Amino acid sequence: AIPRRELHPKSKGVLITTISVLRQKKGKFFALAQSELGDVYKVTLQMSKEDKTVVTHMTICLLDTLPIGNGLNISKLALLFVPAEFGDHGLYQFDAIDIEDSAVKFTSEETISAFVKSGDSSEDAFYASSENAAAIVPTFRPTILQNMHKVFTLDSLAPVTSVLVGELAGNEVSPQFYTLCGRGPRSSLRILRHGLSVTELAVSELPGVPGGVFN
């Protein structure tokens, strides 16, 4: 069972839309999974010592809440790139990843214990019930980032829902593009102009008078 938000309907399950696995040293690994609401969970599996293909224990804990992405790309430099489904993409730096002791979590042992106490004769029916999951898992409220921080934003206009072209500034030669972008709380109004903006990053004086310069 997966931890869920406090106001999440009991009759509705938690839908995982994206999952990514990161391999660590000595055969260890963990996975990050994002729900349809943007909540990101860390999934840790414990394998059998005799048979490495058998899972003996699983822990699911809440990591953070991010914009809904089309994927989760984890690098070995402790960076997470989230190509957003709507709006700007984001690059995040992990501040903490070993969060099992302090995060909102639920384990496979707790799930099995709840099934045994329920007295239900059908194991499949118990695990498939959203009401049963809502009754046993811990809940949480979405907050600001706790275990990571954003280090870079990649602008994205997707999806563009409306466009208006016109010279509304009053003092420019070329018309501007006024676009309505994004969806929901991440929607925005953006103005696009012809040409490329130039930022001076460095200045280096030439040692003499240049001659014979051509292109």
Side-chain angles (χ1 to χ4, degrees), residues 4 13 65 68 78 84 92 98 109 115 118 122 124 135 139 145 151 157 167 171 176 183 189-190 210:
R4 56 178 58 199
T65 299
I68 301 174
Y92 300 85
D98 296 326
E109 293 178 351
F115 167 70
S118 67
S122 174
D124 293 337
T139 58
L145 296 179
V151 295
L157 301 180
E167 208 298 277
N171 57 355
Q176 305 88 43
R183 189 187 71 171
L189 169 64
R190 306 196 184 192

PDB file of all heavy atoms in Angstrom, residues 4 13 65 68 78 84 92 98 109 115 118 122 124 135 139 145 151 157 167 171 176 183 189-190 210:
ATOM      1  N   ARG A   4      -0.784   8.111   1.141  1.00  0.00           N
ATOM      2  CA  ARG A   4      -1.610   8.974   0.293  1.00  0.00           C
ATOM      3  C   ARG A   4      -1.892  10.295   0.985  1.00  0.00           C
ATOM      4  O   ARG A   4      -1.673  10.449   2.192  1.00  0.00           O
ATOM      5  CB  ARG A   4      -2.919   8.282  -0.056  1.00  0.00           C
ATOM      6  CG  ARG A   4      -3.727   7.832   1.165  1.00  0.00           C
ATOM      7  CD  ARG A   4      -5.042   7.196   0.753  1.00  0.00           C
ATOM      8  NE  ARG A   4      -4.853   6.056  -0.125  1.00  0.00           N
ATOM      9  CZ  ARG A   4      -5.823   5.565  -0.900  1.00  0.00           C
ATOM     10  NH1 ARG A   4      -7.024   6.103  -0.884  1.00  0.00           N
ATOM     11  NH2 ARG A   4      -5.598   4.515  -1.665  1.00  0.00           N
ATOM     12  N   GLY A  13      -7.665   4.636  -5.781  1.00  0.00           N
ATOM     13  CA  GLY A  13      -6.300   4.234  -5.497  1.00  0.00           C
ATOM     14  C   GLY A  13      -5.286   5.294  -5.895  1.00  0.00           C
ATOM     15  O   GLY A  13      -5.637   6.334  -6.458  1.00  0.00           O
ATOM     16  N   THR A  65       7.075  16.416  -3.312  1.00  0.00           N
ATOM     17  CA  THR A  65       6.037  16.620  -4.318  1.00  0.00           C
ATOM     18  C   THR A  65       6.572  17.547  -5.391  1.00  0.00           C
ATOM     19  O   THR A  65       6.993  18.675  -5.089  1.00  0.00           O
ATOM     20  CB  THR A  65       4.754  17.202  -3.690  1.00  0.00           C
ATOM     21  OG1 THR A  65       4.243  16.290  -2.710  1.00  0.00           O
ATOM     22  CG2 THR A  65       3.704  17.438  -4.749  1.00  0.00           C
ATOM     23  N   ILE A  68       4.106  17.307 -12.196  1.00  0.00           N
ATOM     24  CA  ILE A  68       3.928  16.026 -12.885  1.00  0.00           C
ATOM     25  C   ILE A  68       4.850  15.972 -14.102  1.00  0.00           C
ATOM     26  O   ILE A  68       4.887  16.899 -14.915  1.00  0.00           O
ATOM     27  CB  ILE A  68       2.465  15.851 -13.310  1.00  0.00           C
ATOM     28  CG1 ILE A  68       1.553  15.901 -12.079  1.00  0.00           C
ATOM     29  CG2 ILE A  68       2.274  14.543 -14.047  1.00  0.00           C
ATOM     30  CD1 ILE A  68       0.091  15.891 -12.417  1.00  0.00           C
ATOM     31  N   ALA A  78      23.735  12.958  -8.051  1.00  0.00           N
ATOM     32  CA  ALA A  78      22.654  13.329  -7.128  1.00  0.00           C
ATOM     33  C   ALA A  78      21.775  14.424  -7.708  1.00  0.00           C
ATOM     34  O   ALA A  78      21.350  15.337  -7.013  1.00  0.00           O
ATOM     35  CB  ALA A  78      23.221  13.760  -5.775  1.00  0.00           C
ATOM     36  N   ALA A  84       8.709  18.136 -17.442  1.00  0.00           N
ATOM     37  CA  ALA A  84       7.329  18.334 -17.001  1.00  0.00           C
ATOM     38  C   ALA A  84       6.338  18.056 -18.113  1.00  0.00           C
ATOM     39  O   ALA A  84       6.588  18.312 -19.294  1.00  0.00           O
ATOM     40  CB  ALA A  84       7.152  19.760 -16.482  1.00  0.00           C
ATOM     41  N   TYR A  92      16.725  19.171 -10.265  1.00  0.00           N
ATOM     42  CA  TYR A  92      16.735  19.234  -8.810  1.00  0.00           C
ATOM     43  C   TYR A  92      17.973  18.545  -8.244  1.00  0.00           C
ATOM     44  O   TYR A  92      18.460  17.560  -8.802  1.00  0.00           O
ATOM     45  CB  TYR A  92      15.472  18.576  -8.232  1.00  0.00           C
ATOM     46  CG  TYR A  92      14.185  19.206  -8.683  1.00  0.00           C
ATOM     47  CD1 TYR A  92      13.593  18.833  -9.891  1.00  0.00           C
ATOM     48  CD2 TYR A  92      13.561  20.179  -7.920  1.00  0.00           C
ATOM     49  CE1 TYR A  92      12.406  19.416 -10.318  1.00  0.00           C
ATOM     50  CE2 TYR A  92      12.376  20.767  -8.338  1.00  0.00           C
ATOM     51  CZ  TYR A  92      11.802  20.382  -9.539  1.00  0.00           C
ATOM     52  OH  TYR A  92      10.630  20.961  -9.967  1.00  0.00           O
ATOM     53  N   ASP A  98      18.530   9.099   2.035  1.00  0.00           N
ATOM     54  CA  ASP A  98      18.303   8.054   3.042  1.00  0.00           C
ATOM     55  C   ASP A  98      17.318   8.578   4.076  1.00  0.00           C
ATOM     56  O   ASP A  98      17.697   9.025   5.164  1.00  0.00           O
ATOM     57  CB  ASP A  98      19.619   7.647   3.700  1.00  0.00           C
ATOM     58  CG  ASP A  98      20.577   7.009   2.701  1.00  0.00           C
ATOM     59  OD1 ASP A  98      20.104   6.321   1.782  1.00  0.00           O
ATOM     60  OD2 ASP A  98      21.805   7.229   2.831  1.00  0.00           O
ATOM     61  N   GLU A 109       5.686  -5.511   5.341  1.00  0.00           N
ATOM     62  CA  GLU A 109       5.353  -6.229   6.567  1.00  0.00           C
ATOM     63  C   GLU A 109       4.077  -5.683   7.203  1.00  0.00           C
ATOM     64  O   GLU A 109       3.238  -6.443   7.703  1.00  0.00           O
ATOM     65  CB  GLU A 109       6.516  -6.146   7.551  1.00  0.00           C
ATOM     66  CG  GLU A 109       7.770  -6.899   7.098  1.00  0.00           C
ATOM     67  CD  GLU A 109       8.909  -6.746   8.082  1.00  0.00           C
ATOM     68  OE1 GLU A 109       8.774  -5.931   9.016  1.00  0.00           O
ATOM     69  OE2 GLU A 109       9.924  -7.454   7.916  1.00  0.00           O
ATOM     70  N   PHE A 115      -3.477  -7.510   6.578  1.00  0.00           N
ATOM     71  CA  PHE A 115      -4.281  -8.565   5.932  1.00  0.00           C
ATOM     72  C   PHE A 115      -4.599  -9.690   6.917  1.00  0.00           C
ATOM     73  O   PHE A 115      -5.734 -10.187   6.968  1.00  0.00           O
ATOM     74  CB  PHE A 115      -3.530  -9.112   4.716  1.00  0.00           C
ATOM     75  CG  PHE A 115      -4.110 -10.393   4.189  1.00  0.00           C
ATOM     76  CD1 PHE A 115      -5.342 -10.394   3.548  1.00  0.00           C
ATOM     77  CD2 PHE A 115      -3.421 -11.593   4.331  1.00  0.00           C
ATOM     78  CE1 PHE A 115      -5.888 -11.587   3.063  1.00  0.00           C
ATOM     79  CE2 PHE A 115      -3.958 -12.776   3.853  1.00  0.00           C
ATOM     80  CZ  PHE A 115      -5.196 -12.774   3.216  1.00  0.00           C
ATOM     81  N   SER A 118      -7.268  -8.626   9.320  1.00  0.00           N
ATOM     82  CA  SER A 118      -8.580  -8.395   8.722  1.00  0.00           C
ATOM     83  C   SER A 118      -9.425  -9.671   8.689  1.00  0.00           C
ATOM     84  O   SER A 118     -10.655  -9.607   8.662  1.00  0.00           O
ATOM     85  CB  SER A 118      -8.431  -7.849   7.301  1.00  0.00           C
ATOM     86  OG  SER A 118      -7.872  -8.835   6.435  1.00  0.00           O
ATOM     87  N   SER A 122      -9.641 -13.873   1.037  1.00  0.00           N
ATOM     88  CA  SER A 122      -9.042 -13.667  -0.287  1.00  0.00           C
ATOM     89  C   SER A 122      -7.948 -12.612  -0.195  1.00  0.00           C
ATOM     90  O   SER A 122      -8.231 -11.431   0.060  1.00  0.00           O
ATOM     91  CB  SER A 122     -10.104 -13.249  -1.302  1.00  0.00           C
ATOM     92  OG  SER A 122      -9.500 -12.930  -2.539  1.00  0.00           O
ATOM     93  N   ASP A 124      -5.971 -11.577  -2.699  1.00  0.00           N
ATOM     94  CA  ASP A 124      -6.030 -10.707  -3.876  1.00  0.00           C
ATOM     95  C   ASP A 124      -7.108  -9.641  -3.721  1.00  0.00           C
ATOM     96  O   ASP A 124      -6.904  -8.476  -4.075  1.00  0.00           O
ATOM     97  CB  ASP A 124      -6.299 -11.530  -5.140  1.00  0.00           C
ATOM     98  CG  ASP A 124      -5.136 -12.453  -5.483  1.00  0.00           C
ATOM     99  OD1 ASP A 124      -4.003 -12.142  -5.039  1.00  0.00           O
ATOM    100  OD2 ASP A 124      -5.355 -13.458  -6.173  1.00  0.00           O
ATOM    101  N   ALA A 135      -7.394   2.629   4.725  1.00  0.00           N
ATOM    102  CA  ALA A 135      -7.585   2.421   6.155  1.00  0.00           C
ATOM    103  C   ALA A 135      -6.282   2.111   6.888  1.00  0.00           C
ATOM    104  O   ALA A 135      -6.183   2.333   8.101  1.00  0.00           O
ATOM    105  CB  ALA A 135      -8.588   1.300   6.387  1.00  0.00           C
ATOM    106  N   THR A 139      -1.154   9.063   6.099  1.00  0.00           N
ATOM    107  CA  THR A 139      -1.492  10.143   5.181  1.00  0.00           C
ATOM    108  C   THR A 139      -0.554  11.326   5.407  1.00  0.00           C
ATOM    109  O   THR A 139       0.139  11.413   6.422  1.00  0.00           O
ATOM    110  CB  THR A 139      -2.947  10.596   5.370  1.00  0.00           C
ATOM    111  OG1 THR A 139      -3.132  11.030   6.741  1.00  0.00           O
ATOM    112  CG2 THR A 139      -3.901   9.457   5.073  1.00  0.00           C
ATOM    113  N   LEU A 145       9.438  21.743  -0.861  1.00  0.00           N
ATOM    114  CA  LEU A 145      10.462  20.708  -0.983  1.00  0.00           C
ATOM    115  C   LEU A 145      11.208  20.524   0.329  1.00  0.00           C
ATOM    116  O   LEU A 145      11.660  21.495   0.945  1.00  0.00           O
ATOM    117  CB  LEU A 145      11.450  21.084  -2.098  1.00  0.00           C
ATOM    118  CG  LEU A 145      10.860  21.152  -3.515  1.00  0.00           C
ATOM    119  CD1 LEU A 145      11.946  21.553  -4.519  1.00  0.00           C
ATOM    120  CD2 LEU A 145      10.237  19.837  -3.905  1.00  0.00           C
ATOM    121  N   VAL A 151      17.701  23.563  -8.942  1.00  0.00           N
ATOM    122  CA  VAL A 151      18.937  24.253  -9.306  1.00  0.00           C
ATOM    123  C   VAL A 151      18.853  24.878 -10.692  1.00  0.00           C
ATOM    124  O   VAL A 151      19.647  25.757 -11.023  1.00  0.00           O
ATOM    125  CB  VAL A 151      20.145  23.289  -9.248  1.00  0.00           C
ATOM    126  CG1 VAL A 151      20.378  22.820  -7.831  1.00  0.00           C
ATOM    127  CG2 VAL A 151      19.951  22.087 -10.170  1.00  0.00           C
ATOM    128  N   LEU A 157       7.023  26.155 -23.327  1.00  0.00           N
ATOM    129  CA  LEU A 157       5.725  26.772 -23.602  1.00  0.00           C
ATOM    130  C   LEU A 157       4.591  25.758 -23.609  1.00  0.00           C
ATOM    131  O   LEU A 157       3.430  26.137 -23.679  1.00  0.00           O
ATOM    132  CB  LEU A 157       5.757  27.492 -24.961  1.00  0.00           C
ATOM    133  CG  LEU A 157       6.792  28.603 -25.122  1.00  0.00           C
ATOM    134  CD1 LEU A 157       6.697  29.201 -26.522  1.00  0.00           C
ATOM    135  CD2 LEU A 157       6.585  29.692 -24.084  1.00  0.00           C
ATOM    136  N   GLU A 167       1.406  44.168 -32.377  1.00  0.00           N
ATOM    137  CA  GLU A 167       2.360  45.134 -31.819  1.00  0.00           C
ATOM    138  C   GLU A 167       1.617  45.924 -30.747  1.00  0.00           C
ATOM    139  O   GLU A 167       1.086  47.004 -30.991  1.00  0.00           O
ATOM    140  CB  GLU A 167       2.882  46.048 -32.934  1.00  0.00           C
ATOM    141  CG  GLU A 167       4.284  46.603 -32.690  1.00  0.00           C
ATOM    142  CD  GLU A 167       4.386  47.486 -31.450  1.00  0.00           C
ATOM    143  OE1 GLU A 167       4.058  48.664 -31.535  1.00  0.00           O
ATOM    144  OE2 GLU A 167       4.783  46.963 -30.387  1.00  0.00           O
ATOM    145  N   ASN A 171       6.013  50.658 -29.126  1.00  0.00           N
ATOM    146  CA  ASN A 171       7.279  51.302 -29.505  1.00  0.00           C
ATOM    147  C   ASN A 171       8.253  50.324 -30.142  1.00  0.00           C
ATOM    148  O   ASN A 171       9.457  50.565 -30.154  1.00  0.00           O
ATOM    149  CB  ASN A 171       7.926  51.961 -28.281  1.00  0.00           C
ATOM    150  CG  ASN A 171       8.156  50.970 -27.150  1.00  0.00           C
ATOM    151  OD1 ASN A 171       7.756  49.824 -27.254  1.00  0.00           O
ATOM    152  ND2 ASN A 171       8.783  51.435 -26.084  1.00  0.00           N
ATOM    153  N   GLN A 176       4.683  41.242 -31.427  1.00  0.00           N
ATOM    154  CA  GLN A 176       5.004  40.273 -30.384  1.00  0.00           C
ATOM    155  C   GLN A 176       4.002  39.121 -30.425  1.00  0.00           C
ATOM    156  O   GLN A 176       2.890  39.262 -30.919  1.00  0.00           O
ATOM    157  CB  GLN A 176       4.994  40.913 -28.992  1.00  0.00           C
ATOM    158  CG  GLN A 176       5.900  42.120 -28.821  1.00  0.00           C
ATOM    159  CD  GLN A 176       5.206  43.401 -29.200  1.00  0.00           C
ATOM    160  OE1 GLN A 176       4.052  43.630 -28.853  1.00  0.00           O
ATOM    161  NE2 GLN A 176       5.916  44.264 -29.935  1.00  0.00           N
ATOM    162  N   ARG A 183      -1.040  24.712 -17.687  1.00  0.00           N
ATOM    163  CA  ARG A 183      -2.347  24.250 -17.235  1.00  0.00           C
ATOM    164  C   ARG A 183      -2.449  24.392 -15.733  1.00  0.00           C
ATOM    165  O   ARG A 183      -1.475  24.182 -15.016  1.00  0.00           O
ATOM    166  CB  ARG A 183      -2.557  22.782 -17.622  1.00  0.00           C
ATOM    167  CG  ARG A 183      -3.973  22.272 -17.386  1.00  0.00           C
ATOM    168  CD  ARG A 183      -4.070  20.781 -17.638  1.00  0.00           C
ATOM    169  NE  ARG A 183      -3.385  20.023 -16.584  1.00  0.00           N
ATOM    170  CZ  ARG A 183      -3.471  18.703 -16.474  1.00  0.00           C
ATOM    171  NH1 ARG A 183      -4.156  18.006 -17.333  1.00  0.00           N
ATOM    172  NH2 ARG A 183      -2.836  18.090 -15.489  1.00  0.00           N
ATOM    173  N   LEU A 189       1.154  33.606 -18.833  1.00  0.00           N
ATOM    174  CA  LEU A 189       1.089  34.422 -20.041  1.00  0.00           C
ATOM    175  C   LEU A 189       2.517  34.813 -20.395  1.00  0.00           C
ATOM    176  O   LEU A 189       3.216  35.432 -19.590  1.00  0.00           O
ATOM    177  CB  LEU A 189       0.236  35.673 -19.816  1.00  0.00           C
ATOM    178  CG  LEU A 189       0.304  36.740 -20.913  1.00  0.00           C
ATOM    179  CD1 LEU A 189      -0.244  36.199 -22.230  1.00  0.00           C
ATOM    180  CD2 LEU A 189      -0.453  37.996 -20.490  1.00  0.00           C
ATOM    181  N   ARG A 190       2.967  34.480 -21.608  1.00  0.00           N
ATOM    182  CA  ARG A 190       4.342  34.753 -22.011  1.00  0.00           C
ATOM    183  C   ARG A 190       4.355  35.565 -23.298  1.00  0.00           C
ATOM    184  O   ARG A 190       3.502  35.380 -24.173  1.00  0.00           O
ATOM    185  CB  ARG A 190       5.118  33.452 -22.189  1.00  0.00           C
ATOM    186  CG  ARG A 190       5.047  32.556 -20.965  1.00  0.00           C
ATOM    187  CD  ARG A 190       6.074  31.481 -20.970  1.00  0.00           C
ATOM    188  NE  ARG A 190       5.909  30.601 -19.824  1.00  0.00           N
ATOM    189  CZ  ARG A 190       6.798  29.701 -19.429  1.00  0.00           C
ATOM    190  NH1 ARG A 190       7.937  29.557 -20.095  1.00  0.00           N
ATOM    191  NH2 ARG A 190       6.569  28.935 -18.372  1.00  0.00           N
ATOM    192  N   PRO A 210      43.910  44.788 -34.405  1.00  0.00           N
ATOM    193  CA  PRO A 210      43.634  43.679 -35.326  1.00  0.00           C
ATOM    194  C   PRO A 210      43.641  44.152 -36.783  1.00  0.00           C
ATOM    195  O   PRO A 210      43.250  45.269 -37.086  1.00  0.00           O
ATOM    196  CB  PRO A 210      42.246  43.220 -34.903  1.00  0.00           C
ATOM    197  CG  PRO A 210      41.614  44.426 -34.290  1.00  0.00           C
ATOM    198  CD  PRO A 210      42.737  45.173 -33.626  1.00  0.00           C
TER     199      PRO A 210
END
